[in-house]
Amino acid sequence: MQLALGANSPFLLGRELWRETRVPLFEQATDTRSEELKAQGVRPRVWFGERWITSIFDLFEENVRYFPALLPVLEDEDPLDVLESGHTPRLQELRLHNGTIYRWNRPVYDVVKGRPHLRVENRVLPAGPTVADTMANAAFYFGLARALAEDERPLWSQMSFSAAEENFHVAARQGIEAKVYWPGLGQVPATELVVRRLLPMARAGLEAWGVVEEERDRLLDIIERRCIVGQNGASWFADRFATKIADNHGDRLDALRSTLNEYRSHMHTNEPVHTWDQE
């Protein structure tokens, strides 16, 4: 849902493609598999995944099972010796290998000031189009992630992984106009799902994180208004471009240039995208 609401790259090299063209572009640009390898089930290095997991180790085990190392780098560090000495192993080979596999939600092991940690890179969301929109997207994500993680019945027990993957690509293709699957509701417009079901969960999640009420409501109200208006960065750009094409009798380059200049002007105002060109 965050991808549908936050889509912001509908054009590539002057061509209107998906509402979030970053997704197919990255998936295709890095896929070096031959048709024979695809038929054999060799996994692409940019992928959504293929199953729900129960542990972070599942993903690192998949890395070793499915993806050969690209660089034959061996470090002198012996992780067991480092552990026995009371220090934290850096696991450089694991980190390098993991850095060549681009899941849309990628686990990362790192060591900062001697302290190890695991984090998940949310690589789904694009930036912008304004700082206010970016902050609203983040608030929606963190609040919803907290609520879903603490739900008595986890989402993965109600939705197949293939349905989640289909939602991801439909959201990238259709943006804010996407219809997605949700347990108990079936196919539903993403905007309706967010307003009726997911925003209350995100509010509860942010409350659990301790976010002050004023800040929580300010950011999530941006998400709600975006759903009601039905306008995000991708839809605004595509619609504005289409209007200019009609006004300029089909001069694509002028229309693209003019639309981009307007986009930049709106961006610097930091007014959320749902307010752009609204009466």
Side-chain angles (χ1 to χ4, degrees), residues 48-109:
F48 187 79
E50 60 185 11
R51 64 189 177 95
W52 299 117
I53 65 169
T54 57
S55 166
I56 195 72
F57 293 108
D58 293 345
L59 298 182
F60 291 127
E61 289 170 0
E62 281 185 355
N63 288 357
V64 175
R65 185 183 309 121
Y66 296 144
F67 304 103
L70 295 181
L71 298 173
V73 176
L74 292 175
E75 297 290 331
D76 294 332
E77 176 189 77
D78 185 321
L80 291 179
D81 288 345
V82 174
L83 275 175
E84 291 174 357
S85 69
H87 296 88
T88 301
R90 298 194 63 82
L91 303 182
Q92 295 282 38
E93 291 94 340
L94 178 146
R95 293 163 65 192
L96 176 63
H97 188 212
N98 188 61
T100 66
I101 301 158
Y102 307 98
R103 292 179 179 85
W104 289 107
N105 288 288
R106 179 166 64 180
V108 175
Y109 169 80

Coordinates of all heavy atoms in Angstrom, one line a residue, residues 48-109:
F48 N 11.3 -9.9 -5.1 CA 10.4 -9.6 -3.9 C 10.6 -10.7 -2.9 O 10.3 -10.6 -1.7 CB 9.0 -9.6 -4.4 CG 8.0 -9.2 -3.4 CD1 7.8 -7.9 -3.0 CD2 7.2 -10.2 -2.7 CE1 6.9 -7.5 -2.0 CE2 6.3 -9.9 -1.8 CZ 6.1 -8.5 -1.4
G49 N 11.1 -11.9 -3.3 CA 11.2 -13.1 -2.5 C 10.2 -14.1 -3.0 O 9.6 -13.9 -4.0
E50 N 10.2 -15.2 -2.2 CA 9.3 -16.3 -2.7 C 8.5 -16.9 -1.5 O 7.6 -17.8 -1.8 CB 10.1 -17.4 -3.4 CG 11.1 -18.0 -2.6 CD 12.0 -19.0 -3.4 OE1 11.8 -19.0 -4.6 OE2 12.7 -19.8 -2.8
R51 N 8.7 -16.5 -0.3 CA 8.0 -17.1 0.8 C 8.1 -16.3 2.1 O 9.0 -15.5 2.2 CB 8.5 -18.5 1.1 CG 10.0 -18.5 1.6 CD 10.5 -19.9 1.7 NE 11.9 -19.9 2.1 CZ 12.3 -20.1 3.4 NH1 11.5 -20.2 4.4 NH2 13.6 -20.1 3.7
W52 N 7.1 -16.5 3.0 CA 7.2 -15.8 4.3 C 8.3 -16.5 5.0 O 8.6 -17.7 4.9 CB 5.9 -16.0 5.0 CG 4.7 -15.4 4.4 CD1 3.6 -16.0 4.0 CD2 4.5 -14.0 4.2 NE1 2.7 -15.1 3.5 CE2 3.2 -13.9 3.6 CE3 5.2 -12.8 4.4 CZ2 2.6 -12.6 3.2 CZ3 4.7 -11.6 4.0 CH2 3.4 -11.5 3.4
I53 N 9.0 -15.8 5.9 CA 10.1 -16.3 6.7 C 9.7 -16.3 8.2 O 8.8 -15.6 8.6 CB 11.4 -15.5 6.5 CG1 11.3 -14.1 7.0 CG2 11.8 -15.6 5.0 CD1 12.6 -13.3 7.0
T54 N 10.5 -17.1 8.9 CA 10.2 -17.1 10.4 C 11.5 -16.6 11.1 O 11.4 -16.4 12.3 CB 9.9 -18.5 10.9 OG1 11.0 -19.4 10.5 CG2 8.7 -19.1 10.2
S55 N 12.6 -16.4 10.4 CA 13.8 -15.9 11.1 C 14.6 -15.1 10.0 O 14.6 -15.4 8.8 CB 14.6 -17.1 11.6 OG 15.9 -16.7 12.0
I56 N 15.4 -14.2 10.5 CA 16.3 -13.5 9.6 C 17.3 -14.4 9.0 O 17.8 -14.2 7.9 CB 17.1 -12.4 10.4 CG1 17.7 -11.3 9.5 CG2 18.1 -12.9 11.4 CD1 16.8 -10.5 8.8
F57 N 17.6 -15.5 9.7 CA 18.6 -16.5 9.2 C 18.0 -17.1 7.9 O 18.8 -17.6 7.0 CB 18.9 -17.6 10.2 CG 19.6 -17.1 11.4 CD1 19.0 -16.9 12.6 CD2 21.0 -16.6 11.3 CE1 19.7 -16.4 13.7 CE2 21.6 -16.1 12.4 CZ 21.0 -16.0 13.6
D58 N 16.7 -17.2 7.7 CA 16.2 -17.7 6.5 C 16.7 -17.0 5.3 O 17.0 -17.6 4.2 CB 14.6 -17.7 6.5 CG 14.0 -18.6 7.5 OD1 14.7 -19.4 8.0 OD2 12.8 -18.4 7.8
L59 N 16.8 -15.7 5.4 CA 17.2 -14.9 4.2 C 18.7 -15.0 4.0 O 19.1 -15.1 2.8 CB 16.9 -13.4 4.5 CG 15.4 -13.1 4.6 CD1 15.2 -11.6 4.9 CD2 14.6 -13.5 3.4
F60 N 19.5 -15.1 5.0 CA 21.0 -15.3 4.8 C 21.2 -16.7 4.2 O 22.2 -16.9 3.4 CB 21.7 -15.0 6.1 CG 21.7 -13.6 6.5 CD1 21.3 -13.2 7.8 CD2 22.1 -12.6 5.6 CE1 21.3 -11.9 8.2 CE2 22.1 -11.2 6.0 CZ 21.7 -10.9 7.3
E61 N 20.4 -17.7 4.7 CA 20.6 -19.0 4.1 C 20.2 -19.0 2.6 O 20.8 -19.7 1.8 CB 19.8 -20.0 4.9 CG 20.3 -20.3 6.3 CD 19.4 -21.1 7.2 OE1 18.3 -21.4 6.7 OE2 19.7 -21.3 8.3
E62 N 19.1 -18.3 2.3 CA 18.8 -18.2 0.9 C 19.9 -17.6 0.0 O 20.1 -18.0 -1.1 CB 17.5 -17.3 0.7 CG 16.2 -18.0 1.0 CD 15.0 -17.2 0.7 OE1 15.2 -16.0 0.4 OE2 13.9 -17.7 0.8
N63 N 20.6 -16.6 0.6 CA 21.7 -15.9 -0.1 C 22.7 -17.0 -0.5 O 23.2 -17.0 -1.7 CB 22.3 -14.9 0.8 CG 21.5 -13.7 1.0 OD1 20.4 -13.5 0.4 ND2 22.0 -12.7 1.8
V64 N 23.1 -17.8 0.4 CA 24.1 -18.8 0.1 C 23.6 -19.9 -0.8 O 24.3 -20.4 -1.7 CB 24.6 -19.5 1.4 CG1 25.6 -20.6 1.2 CG2 25.2 -18.5 2.4
R65 N 22.3 -20.3 -0.7 CA 21.8 -21.4 -1.5 C 21.5 -20.9 -2.9 O 21.8 -21.7 -3.9 CB 20.4 -21.8 -0.9 CG 19.8 -23.0 -1.6 CD 18.5 -23.4 -1.0 NE 18.6 -23.5 0.5 CZ 17.8 -22.8 1.3 NH1 17.0 -21.9 0.9 NH2 18.0 -23.0 2.6
Y66 N 21.1 -19.7 -3.2 CA 20.6 -19.3 -4.5 C 21.6 -18.4 -5.3 O 21.5 -18.4 -6.5 CB 19.3 -18.6 -4.4 CG 18.2 -19.4 -3.8 CD1 17.2 -18.8 -3.0 CD2 18.0 -20.8 -4.2 CE1 16.1 -19.6 -2.5 CE2 17.0 -21.5 -3.7 CZ 16.0 -20.9 -2.9 OH 15.0 -21.7 -2.4
F67 N 22.5 -17.8 -4.6 CA 23.3 -16.7 -5.2 C 24.8 -17.0 -5.0 O 25.3 -16.8 -3.9 CB 22.9 -15.3 -4.7 CG 21.5 -15.0 -4.9 CD1 20.6 -15.1 -3.7 CD2 20.9 -14.7 -6.1 CE1 19.3 -14.8 -3.9 CE2 19.6 -14.5 -6.2 CZ 18.7 -14.5 -5.1
P68 N 25.5 -17.3 -6.1 CA 27.0 -17.4 -6.0 C 27.6 -16.0 -5.7 O 27.1 -15.0 -6.1 CB 27.4 -17.9 -7.4 CG 26.3 -17.5 -8.3 CD 25.1 -17.5 -7.5
A69 N 28.7 -16.1 -5.0 CA 29.5 -14.8 -4.7 C 30.0 -14.2 -6.0 O 30.5 -14.9 -6.9 CB 30.6 -15.1 -3.8
L70 N 29.9 -12.9 -6.1 CA 30.3 -12.2 -7.3 C 31.8 -11.8 -7.2 O 32.5 -11.7 -8.2 CB 29.5 -10.9 -7.5 CG 28.1 -11.1 -7.8 CD1 27.4 -9.7 -8.1 CD2 27.9 -11.9 -9.1
L71 N 32.3 -11.6 -5.9 CA 33.7 -11.2 -5.7 C 34.3 -12.2 -4.8 O 33.8 -12.4 -3.7 CB 33.8 -9.8 -5.1 CG 33.2 -8.7 -6.0 CD1 33.2 -7.4 -5.2 CD2 34.0 -8.5 -7.3
P72 N 35.5 -12.8 -5.2 CA 36.2 -13.8 -4.4 C 37.0 -13.2 -3.3 O 38.2 -13.2 -3.3 CB 37.0 -14.6 -5.4 CG 37.3 -13.5 -6.4 CD 36.1 -12.6 -6.5
V73 N 36.3 -12.5 -2.3 CA 37.1 -11.8 -1.3 C 37.0 -12.6 0.0 O 36.0 -13.0 0.5 CB 36.4 -10.4 -1.0 CG1 37.1 -9.7 0.1 CG2 36.5 -9.6 -2.3
L74 N 38.2 -12.8 0.6 CA 38.3 -13.5 1.9 C 39.0 -12.6 2.9 O 40.1 -12.1 2.6 CB 39.0 -14.8 1.8 CG 38.3 -15.9 1.0 CD1 39.3 -17.1 0.8 CD2 37.0 -16.3 1.6
E75 N 38.4 -12.4 4.1 CA 39.0 -11.6 5.1 C 39.8 -12.4 6.0 O 39.6 -13.6 6.2 CB 38.0 -10.8 5.9 CG 37.2 -9.8 5.0 CD 38.0 -8.6 4.6 OE1 38.9 -8.3 5.3 OE2 37.7 -8.1 3.5
D76 N 40.8 -11.8 6.7 CA 41.6 -12.6 7.7 C 40.9 -12.9 9.0 O 41.3 -13.8 9.7 CB 42.9 -11.7 8.0 CG 43.8 -11.6 6.8 OD1 43.8 -12.5 5.9 OD2 44.5 -10.6 6.7
E77 N 39.8 -12.2 9.2 CA 39.1 -12.3 10.5 C 38.5 -13.7 10.6 O 37.9 -14.3 9.7 CB 37.9 -11.3 10.6 CG 37.0 -11.4 11.8 CD 35.8 -10.6 11.7 OE1 34.8 -10.9 11.0 OE2 35.8 -9.5 12.4
D78 N 38.7 -14.3 11.8 CA 38.0 -15.6 12.2 C 36.9 -15.2 13.2 O 37.2 -14.8 14.3 CB 39.0 -16.5 12.9 CG 38.4 -17.9 13.1 OD1 37.2 -17.9 13.5 OD2 39.0 -18.9 13.0
P79 N 35.6 -15.3 12.7 CA 34.5 -14.8 13.6 C 34.5 -15.5 14.9 O 34.2 -14.8 15.9 CB 33.3 -15.1 12.7 CG 33.8 -15.2 11.3 CD 35.2 -15.7 11.4
L80 N 34.8 -16.8 15.0 CA 34.7 -17.5 16.3 C 35.8 -17.0 17.2 O 35.5 -16.8 18.4 CB 34.9 -19.0 16.1 CG 33.7 -19.7 15.3 CD1 33.9 -21.2 15.2 CD2 32.4 -19.5 16.1
D81 N 37.0 -16.8 16.7 CA 38.1 -16.2 17.5 C 37.7 -14.8 18.1 O 38.0 -14.5 19.2 CB 39.4 -16.1 16.7 CG 40.0 -17.5 16.5 OD1 39.6 -18.5 17.1 OD2 40.9 -17.6 15.6
V82 N 37.1 -14.0 17.2 CA 36.7 -12.7 17.6 C 35.6 -12.8 18.8 O 35.7 -12.0 19.8 CB 36.1 -11.9 16.5 CG1 35.6 -10.5 16.9 CG2 37.2 -11.7 15.4
L83 N 34.7 -13.7 18.6 CA 33.6 -13.9 19.6 C 34.2 -14.3 20.9 O 33.9 -13.8 22.0 CB 32.6 -14.9 19.2 CG 31.4 -14.4 18.3 CD1 30.6 -15.5 17.8 CD2 30.6 -13.3 19.0
E84 N 35.2 -15.3 20.9 CA 35.8 -15.8 22.1 C 36.6 -14.8 22.8 O 36.8 -14.9 24.0 CB 36.6 -17.0 21.7 CG 35.8 -18.2 21.3 CD 36.6 -19.4 20.8 OE1 37.8 -19.2 20.8 OE2 36.0 -20.5 20.5
S85 N 37.1 -13.8 22.0 CA 37.9 -12.7 22.7 C 37.0 -11.6 23.3 O 37.5 -10.7 23.8 CB 38.8 -12.1 21.6 OG 38.1 -11.4 20.6
G86 N 35.7 -11.8 23.1 CA 34.7 -10.8 23.7 C 34.4 -9.6 22.8 O 33.8 -8.7 23.3
H87 N 34.8 -9.7 21.5 CA 34.5 -8.7 20.6 C 33.4 -9.1 19.5 O 33.0 -10.2 19.5 CB 35.8 -8.2 19.9 CG 36.8 -7.7 20.8 ND1 37.8 -8.5 21.4 CD2 37.0 -6.4 21.2 CE1 38.5 -7.7 22.2 NE2 38.1 -6.4 22.1
T88 N 33.1 -8.2 18.7 CA 32.0 -8.4 17.7 C 32.6 -8.7 16.3 O 33.4 -7.8 15.8 CB 31.1 -7.2 17.6 OG1 30.5 -6.9 18.9 CG2 30.0 -7.4 16.6
P89 N 32.3 -9.8 15.7 CA 32.8 -10.1 14.4 C 32.2 -9.2 13.4 O 31.0 -8.9 13.4 CB 32.5 -11.5 14.1 CG 31.3 -11.8 15.0 CD 31.6 -10.9 16.2
R90 N 32.9 -8.7 12.4 CA 32.4 -7.8 11.4 C 31.7 -8.6 10.2 O 30.9 -8.1 9.5 CB 33.5 -6.9 10.8 CG 34.1 -6.0 11.9 CD 34.9 -4.9 11.3 NE 34.1 -4.0 10.4 CZ 33.3 -3.0 10.9 NH1 33.3 -2.8 12.2 NH2 32.6 -2.3 10.1
L91 N 32.0 -9.9 10.1 CA 31.4 -10.7 9.0 C 31.4 -10.0 7.7 O 30.4 -9.9 7.0 CB 30.0 -11.1 9.4 CG 29.8 -11.8 10.8 CD1 28.3 -12.1 11.0 CD2 30.6 -13.0 10.9
Q92 N 32.6 -9.7 7.2 CA 32.7 -8.9 6.0 C 32.3 -9.7 4.8 O 31.6 -9.1 3.9 CB 34.2 -8.5 5.8 CG 34.7 -7.5 6.9 CD 34.3 -6.1 6.6 OE1 33.1 -5.9 6.3 NE2 35.1 -5.1 6.9
E93 N 32.5 -11.0 4.7 CA 32.1 -11.7 3.5 C 30.6 -11.8 3.5 O 30.0 -11.7 2.4 CB 32.7 -13.2 3.6 CG 34.2 -13.2 3.4 CD 34.9 -13.3 4.7 OE1 34.4 -12.8 5.7 OE2 36.1 -13.7 4.7
L94 N 29.9 -12.0 4.6 CA 28.5 -12.0 4.6 C 27.9 -10.7 4.2 O 27.0 -10.6 3.4 CB 28.0 -12.4 6.0 CG 26.4 -12.4 6.3 CD1 26.1 -13.5 7.3 CD2 25.9 -11.0 6.7
R95 N 28.5 -9.6 4.7 CA 28.0 -8.3 4.3 C 28.2 -7.9 2.9 O 27.3 -7.4 2.2 CB 28.6 -7.2 5.2 CG 28.2 -7.4 6.7 CD 29.2 -6.7 7.6 NE 29.2 -5.2 7.4 CZ 30.1 -4.4 7.9 NH1 31.1 -4.9 8.6 NH2 30.0 -3.1 7.7
L96 N 29.3 -8.3 2.3 CA 29.6 -8.1 0.9 C 28.6 -8.9 0.0 O 28.1 -8.3 -0.9 CB 31.0 -8.4 0.6 CG 31.4 -8.3 -0.9 CD1 31.3 -6.9 -1.4 CD2 32.9 -8.8 -1.1
H97 N 28.5 -10.1 0.4 CA 27.6 -11.0 -0.4 C 26.2 -10.5 -0.4 O 25.5 -10.4 -1.4 CB 27.7 -12.4 0.1 CG 26.9 -13.4 -0.8 ND1 26.3 -14.5 -0.2 CD2 26.7 -13.5 -2.1 CE1 25.8 -15.2 -1.2 NE2 26.0 -14.6 -2.4
N98 N 25.7 -10.1 0.8 CA 24.3 -9.6 1.0 C 24.1 -8.3 0.2 O 23.0 -8.1 -0.3 CB 24.1 -9.4 2.5 CG 22.6 -9.1 2.8 OD1 21.7 -9.9 2.5 ND2 22.4 -7.9 3.3
G99 N 25.2 -7.6 0.1 CA 25.1 -6.3 -0.7 C 24.9 -6.5 -2.2 O 24.7 -5.5 -2.9
T100 N 25.1 -7.7 -2.7 CA 24.9 -7.9 -4.1 C 23.6 -8.6 -4.4 O 23.3 -9.0 -5.5 CB 26.0 -8.9 -4.6 OG1 25.9 -10.2 -4.1 CG2 27.4 -8.3 -4.3
I101 N 22.7 -8.7 -3.4 CA 21.3 -9.3 -3.6 C 20.3 -8.2 -3.1 O 20.3 -7.8 -2.0 CB 21.2 -10.5 -2.7 CG1 22.3 -11.5 -3.1 CG2 19.8 -11.2 -2.9 CD1 22.6 -12.6 -2.1
Y102 N 19.5 -7.8 -4.0 CA 18.6 -6.6 -3.8 C 17.2 -7.0 -3.6 O 16.3 -6.8 -4.5 CB 18.8 -5.7 -5.0 CG 20.2 -5.4 -5.3 CD1 20.9 -6.0 -6.3 CD2 20.9 -4.4 -4.6 CE1 22.3 -5.7 -6.6 CE2 22.2 -4.1 -4.9 CZ 22.9 -4.8 -5.9 OH 24.2 -4.5 -6.2
R103 N 16.9 -7.5 -2.4 CA 15.5 -7.7 -2.1 C 14.9 -6.3 -1.8 O 15.5 -5.4 -1.4 CB 15.4 -8.5 -0.8 CG 15.8 -10.0 -0.9 CD 15.6 -10.7 0.4 NE 15.9 -12.1 0.3 CZ 17.2 -12.6 0.4 NH1 18.2 -11.7 0.6 NH2 17.4 -13.8 0.4
W104 N 13.6 -6.2 -2.1 CA 12.9 -4.9 -1.9 C 12.8 -4.6 -0.4 O 12.7 -3.4 0.0 CB 11.6 -4.9 -2.6 CG 11.7 -4.9 -4.0 CD1 11.4 -5.9 -4.9 CD2 12.1 -3.8 -4.8 NE1 11.7 -5.5 -6.2 CE2 12.1 -4.2 -6.2 CE3 12.5 -2.5 -4.6 CZ2 12.5 -3.4 -7.3 CZ3 12.9 -1.6 -5.6 CH2 12.9 -2.1 -6.9
N105 N 12.8 -5.6 0.4 CA 13.0 -5.4 1.9 C 14.2 -6.2 2.3 O 14.1 -7.4 2.4 CB 11.8 -5.8 2.7 CG 10.6 -4.9 2.5 OD1 10.6 -3.8 3.0 ND2 9.6 -5.3 1.8
R106 N 15.4 -5.6 2.4 CA 16.6 -6.3 2.5 C 17.2 -6.3 4.0 O 17.3 -5.2 4.6 CB 17.7 -5.7 1.6 CG 19.0 -6.4 1.7 CD 20.0 -6.0 0.5 NE 20.3 -4.6 0.5 CZ 21.1 -4.1 -0.4 NH1 21.6 -4.8 -1.4 NH2 21.4 -2.8 -0.4
P107 N 17.5 -7.4 4.5 CA 18.1 -7.5 5.8 C 19.6 -7.0 5.7 O 20.3 -7.3 4.8 CB 18.1 -8.9 6.2 CG 18.2 -9.7 4.9 CD 17.5 -8.8 3.9
V108 N 20.0 -6.3 6.7 CA 21.4 -5.8 6.8 C 22.0 -6.1 8.2 O 21.4 -5.7 9.2 CB 21.5 -4.3 6.5 CG1 22.9 -3.8 6.6 CG2 21.0 -4.0 5.0
Y109 N 23.2 -6.7 8.2 CA 23.9 -6.9 9.4 C 25.0 -5.9 9.4 O 25.7 -5.7 8.4 CB 24.5 -8.3 9.5 CG 25.6 -8.4 10.6 CD1 25.2 -8.6 11.9 CD2 26.9 -8.4 10.3 CE1 26.1 -8.8 13.0 CE2 27.9 -8.5 11.4 CZ 27.4 -8.7 12.7 OH 28.4 -8.8 13.7

